Amino acid sequence: MAVISRGFHGRRPTEEKLPPGQYVVHDFPVLSAGPTPVVAKEDWQFTLTTVAGDTRHWSWQDLTALPAERPTVDIHCVTKWSKFRTEWEGVSLDTLLDGVDLDGDYAMVQSYGGYTTDLPLEDLLDGQAWIAYRYDHDDLPAEHGGPARLLVPHLYFWKSAKWVNGIRLMDSDEPGFWEGLGYHEYGDPWREQRYQGD
Amino acid sequence: MARAAVSGRLTGRLRWQTATVEDVRDETGTARTLVLRAPDWRGHAAGQHVDVRLTAEDGYSTQRSYSLASAPGGDRIELTVQRIGDGEVSPYLVDVLEAGDQLELRGPVGGWFVWDPADPSPVLLMAGGSGVVPLMSMIRTRRNVGSRVLFRLLYSVRTPEERYYARELGPGGAQGGLDITHLYTRSAPEGPRRPPGRLTEDDVAAYGWPAEFAPMCFVCGPTGFVERAAEILVAQGHDPQRIRTERFGPVGG
Ligand SMILES: Cc1cc2nc3c(=O)[nH]c(=O)nc-3n(C[C@H](O)[C@H](O)[C@H](O)COP(=O)(O)OP(=O)(O)OC[C@H]3O[C@@H](n4cnc5c(N)ncnc54)[C@H](O)[C@@H]3O)c2cc1C
């Protein structure tokens, strides 16, 4: 039974589509574990490593030459804020991974600065994930993960790795950075999977 | 960013528990410390936070994160909350809640922004406003365990009246091996060492540690402060792997 907080009224969300425990923000909070890595587009490289150990690389030019999409999505951070209708531009993972040997059920996403996060490969496919390089009609700022970040809006936002530079496909699951520090392996905001065991 | 084996890291399921407010203490005109008794508390590491859940009479409920201000030990924990003018939760915690009231929390949460007392490296703490809260837990933990690790705290606040833990961090509260520097952004007391203003490279060079001492750096506060402080540390040669940050909110300070 929840404890009723005497005299607490709260603000009701104006939207129905708010996952449990979340509240709406209108600005765009920044959250990360350390300093913001600064990566120039010329130096940016994205590497896919298959289970067999083969690699494939994309430069900034390669990435931005691929057909872009402009998803407008709601995002939900495990620190409780949600932001509705955020506008992005980037390349769908379906496009990026087209023709790649997608053996392995899991993916470890890797970033400049050493950050990692794991998720099932199927959550990156079928129009659910992008490598985003523009936000709100502008280049993605470094503090939000620029030049490019992963965008997987249906999971808590720590899965949407900032400063992304690679994906390693895996046969079995391994915890990424926050997952190893007690956060949930999967992170579905609608099931409030914040921490281990939720 | 190797995953460190930290004490107090999360394991197992985190349950919601009911805590009772034992005492409230004003820190400043806009911030208050809540002393809570949480009978099921299993301890924490300095730097971790809790999730607080409030529920209105009609069942509407919302959650926010608050850092633990107290050192680990026992079932009594302290949070220090700053009132955000148009906020949903913080005005309730600062103005309405009183001794005897209950609230729900779960934790401790977060295994990265933590100080490990077994690590002998010098420590640089940089706080903006309420960002001093988890750093205070580190300072109190250091004192409680009798650690002689060298600590430096750079604490940026608007005015002398807005300092948290003024007695503990004031002249009377000095502890061997802990240096404290207050940086005022709006108005400084008489005879200031530096004119009021936001954190600069010179401040970090003068009151921090040189990069070659390889300190652990913990930076906490509003986003603008944290971005700036971390940027200066990196520019001064500190290893980004040794700079841990916690961002409390979207507003620059
Ligand atoms: C890990 C973590 C630890 C935290 N620890 C503490 C702590 O020890 N003490 C503490 O006081 N707060 C702490 N916070 C911030 C806290 O969780 C809330 O965000 C804050 O109390 C505001 O909540 P609110 O409901 O009053 O405001 P909201 O209704 O959420 O927001 C109202 C307005 O205030 C702005 N705002 C939100 N947070 C801040 C902020 N921190 N500074 C300035 N403006 C803000 C919002 O953008 C919005 O415009 C922590 C946050 C995190 C993520």
Side-chain angles (χ1 to χ4, degrees):
Chain A
M1 248 276 297
V3 171
I4 304 300
S5 305
R6 174 192 59 82
F8 173 69
H9 305 291
R11 266 199 300 265
R12 301 300 184 277
T14 49
E15 314 245 1
E16 291 296 306
K17 48 183 185 167
L18 192 66
Q22 297 290 112
Y23 63 96
V24 182
V25 297
H26 298 285
D27 44 20
F28 192 167
V30 176
L31 285 146
S32 32
T36 297
V38 180
V39 186
K41 290 174 182 169
E42 310 81 85
D43 301 331
W44 186 86
Q45 204 185 41
F46 188 86
T47 303
L48 180 91
T49 309
T50 66
V51 172
D54 299 330
T55 56
R56 197 165 150 178
H57 306 281
W58 289 263
S59 67
W60 187 258
Q61 236 180 344
D62 300 335
L63 179 79
T64 49
L66 292 169
E69 294 181 3
R70 290 194 185 77
T72 296
V73 295
D74 301 340
I75 56 180
H76 311 289
C77 179
V78 71
T79 66
K80 326 274 160 26
W81 56 267
S82 291
K83 189 169 169 59
F84 292 135
R85 291 178 297 278
T86 57
E87 296 180 27
W88 304 83
E89 182 175 331
V91 176
S92 164
L93 266 286
D94 296 316
T95 306
L96 202 71
L97 299 183
D98 190 31
V100 171
D101 169 18
L102 293 183
D103 208 18
D105 287 337
Y106 297 93
M108 184 67 80
V109 184
Q110 300 165 323
S111 297
Y112 289 98
Y115 181 79
T116 56
T117 187
D118 62 304
L119 63 186
L121 177 59
E122 63 180 15
D123 284 81
L124 291 175
L125 303 174
D126 299 325
Q128 298 183 92
W130 296 265
I131 302 292
Y133 47 75
R134 285 171 74 77
Y135 169 74
D136 207 11
H137 312 285
D138 243 317
D139 283 357
L140 183 61
E143 72 264 29
H144 290 306
R149 75 180 296 162
L150 185 66
L151 176 67
V152 198
H154 70 285
L155 299 177
Y156 279 127
F157 217 43
W158 89 79
K159 298 282 180 182
S160 293
K162 297 178 180 182
W163 316 293
V164 69
N165 69 359
I167 292 179
R168 180 167 59 87
L169 300 179
M170 312 181 290
D171 274 332
S172 55
D173 203 4
E174 282 170 31
F177 177 74
W178 286 122
E179 294 83 5
L181 289 168
Y183 285 78
H184 198 274
E185 297 79 17
Y186 186 63
D188 180 348
W190 294 97
R191 288 187 276 163
E192 223 183 336
Q193 294 172 333
R194 297 181 194 276
Y195 312 120
Q196 257 172 45
D198 273 354
Chain B
M1 203 191 288
R3 204 176 332 117
V6 270
S7 58
R9 76 176 247 192
L10 290 173
T11 41
R13 185 166 158 62
L14 272 182
R15 290 198 168 68
W16 287 101
Q17 51 181 291
T18 303
T20 305
V21 181
E22 281 207 341
D23 194 14
V24 295
R25 235 176 14 236
D26 284 341
E27 294 293 343
T28 69
T30 58
R32 194 162 83 164
T33 292
L34 308 174
V35 182
L36 305 172
R37 181 187 287 279
D40 299 328
W41 194 247
R42 290 180 306 173
H44 62 275
Q48 290 187 298
H49 64 272
V50 294
D51 285 355
V52 169
R53 178 163 72 187
L54 299 181
T55 303
E57 260 174 55
D58 65 355
Y60 167 77
S61 128
T62 192
Q63 303 175 17
R64 294 293 186 278
S65 299
Y66 292 96
S67 299
L68 290 146
S70 44
D75 62 357
R76 202 161 302 165
I77 57 175
E78 295 189 11
L79 312 178
T80 303
V81 180
Q82 182 196 7
R83 183 199 308 123
I84 305 291
D86 57 346
E88 179 177 20
V89 169
S90 62
Y92 177 82
L93 297 178
V94 174
D95 301 331
V96 182
L97 207 64
E98 49 187 52
D101 284 340
Q102 292 189 317
L103 53 74
E104 286 179 295
L105 56 80
R106 66 173 183 162
V109 183
W112 177 246
F113 192 82
V114 295
W115 176 60
D116 175 3
D119 179 352
S121 325
V123 172
L124 174 60
L125 307 175
M126 294 177 74
S130 58
V132 74
V133 177
L135 308 184
M136 193 65 205
S137 176
M138 297 179 189
I139 290 171
R140 288 169 168 163
T141 300
R142 174 185 183 276
R143 185 183 57 208
N144 282 11
V145 302
S147 163
R148 295 173 67 192
V149 168
L150 297 176
F151 267 44
R152 285 189 172 171
L153 168 68
L154 258 84
Y155 180 15
S156 171
V157 279
R158 291 189 183 132
T159 65
E161 294 71 44
E162 292 198 38
R163 290 177 317 177
Y164 293 11
Y165 319 117
R167 209 167 41 81
E168 248 177 293
L169 297 179
Q175 305 165 30
L178 166 67
D179 291 341
I180 301 171
T181 307
H182 287 96
L183 305 174
Y184 300 98
T185 59
R186 304 247 173 109
S187 70
E190 292 288 301
R193 283 197 279 182
R194 82 193 257 289
R198 293 196 177 183
L199 183 78
T200 66
E201 285 97 338
D202 290 350
D203 295 326
V204 180
Y207 309 117
W209 296 110
E212 56 279 20
F213 287 23
M216 276 304 299
C217 305
F218 295 94
V219 184
C220 186
T223 296
F225 174 85
V226 172
E227 279 295 309
R228 183 76 189 114
E231 184 184 280
I232 293 173
L233 288 172
V234 172
Q236 294 185 351
H238 289 268
D239 178 358
Q241 308 286 327
R242 298 182 70 77
I243 305 171
R244 300 194 179 182
T245 60
E246 185 108 283
R247 294 163 167 91
F248 271 14
V251 183

